[in-house]
Amino acid sequence: MRRNINMVIGATTHAGFLDLPAGLPKGIIIFAHGSGSSRLSKRNQFVAETLVNEGFATLLFDLLTEDEDQTYENRFDIPLLAARLTQTAKWVMQQDDLHDLPIGYFGASTGAAAALISAANNPEPIGAVVSRGGRPDLALESLPRVKAPTLLIVGGRDEPVIGMNQVALRALQCEKKLVTIPGATHLFEEPGTLEQVAGLAQDWFTSFLTRQISHMRAKTFIA
């Protein structure tokens, strides 16, 4: 079941899609898209649909407003994007039908850096992080503070990003894994590669979010 939502975050309003599975959700996955993308990303929507079919709620929303997105530099303002994610997780925890759900982040490209910084700044509420073709190197200083189990997924033909993720893997001190999908480029457009991403994300979130206990999650966030 899909709900079109408008989240008020500080002084800005952000459009989003909240999708709920048929039964009681195992958790909720908040998506952080990359630069120039939005809640309409077909790749993220595909992964989200897979997760919903496996019993997770998903939230795809626009990190930037339409006006903000017109300024190119905003797309790479990682601290701003991380703060928006933190505030969105807080919003989730304030909703009557969502507040008991363990939270995961799924970040793509620059959105992965924002997800990791948010998870580092607010470790208790975030139970797992998955990065698809991410730029975790943009969050390098924050990586040692990430506690959430983190899965880094990169394409086997995305050579510069492979190196960036290898550097990030060494910096992470949490439970972590780097998976390279053979034949995939940065956008995972090759047949079957995005399905592999969705399957890996599903397994990761199932493994780690089910360990979370709702009453242990932090109630105070640092933006």
Side-chain angles (χ1 to χ4, degrees), residues 189-209:
E189 297 175 306
E190 295 73 23
T193 57
L194 195 56
E195 286 82 354
Q196 292 181 62
V197 170
L200 289 165
Q202 171 196 316
D203 291 344
W204 196 259
F205 288 131
T206 297
S207 294
F208 294 106
L209 291 192

Side-chain angles (χ1 to χ4, degrees), residues 61-137:
F61 74 107
D62 293 343
L63 288 164
L64 300 173
T65 66
E66 289 187 12
D67 287 343
E68 289 172 337
D69 194 52
Q70 299 305 308
T71 301
Y72 182 77
E73 290 75 14
N74 286 337
R75 300 179 181 183
F76 293 89
D77 188 342
I78 307 300
L80 171 63
L81 303 181
R84 293 272 169 86
L85 273 178
T86 295
Q87 292 162 336
T88 301
K90 183 177 181 180
W91 178 88
V92 165
M93 295 174 68
Q94 293 171 341
Q95 305 308 303
D96 290 342
D97 54 347
L98 304 175
H99 70 90
D100 282 332
L101 299 179
I103 299 172
Y105 283 152
F106 182 96
S109 192
T110 52
L116 287 162
I117 291 173
S118 177
N121 290 344
N122 301 278
E124 293 303 325
I126 309 305
V129 178
V130 174
S131 163
R132 170 182 66 81
R135 290 292 310 276
D137 57 297

Side-chain angles (χ1 to χ4, degrees), residues 131-184:
S131 163
R132 170 182 66 81
R135 290 292 310 276
D137 57 297
L138 297 177
L140 205 56
E141 292 183 0
S142 298
L143 296 184
R145 296 187 290 110
V146 175
K147 294 183 178 180
T150 298
L151 173 64
L152 307 174
I153 306 172
V154 294
R157 294 166 58 193
D158 195 8
E159 293 183 5
V161 174
I162 292 174
M164 296 168 187
N165 278 259
Q166 290 170 336
V167 170
L169 187 73
R170 291 192 290 270
L172 287 165
Q173 302 300 310
C174 56
E175 190 158 354
K176 58 190 178 180
K177 186 176 183 180
L178 171 61
V179 176
T180 302
I181 296 182

Side-chain angles (χ1 to χ4, degrees), residues 19-38:
D19 285 285
L20 300 172
L24 184 66
K26 300 176 183 177
I28 181 166
I29 314 303
I30 300 174
F31 280 68
H33 57 74
S35 60
S37 188
S38 72

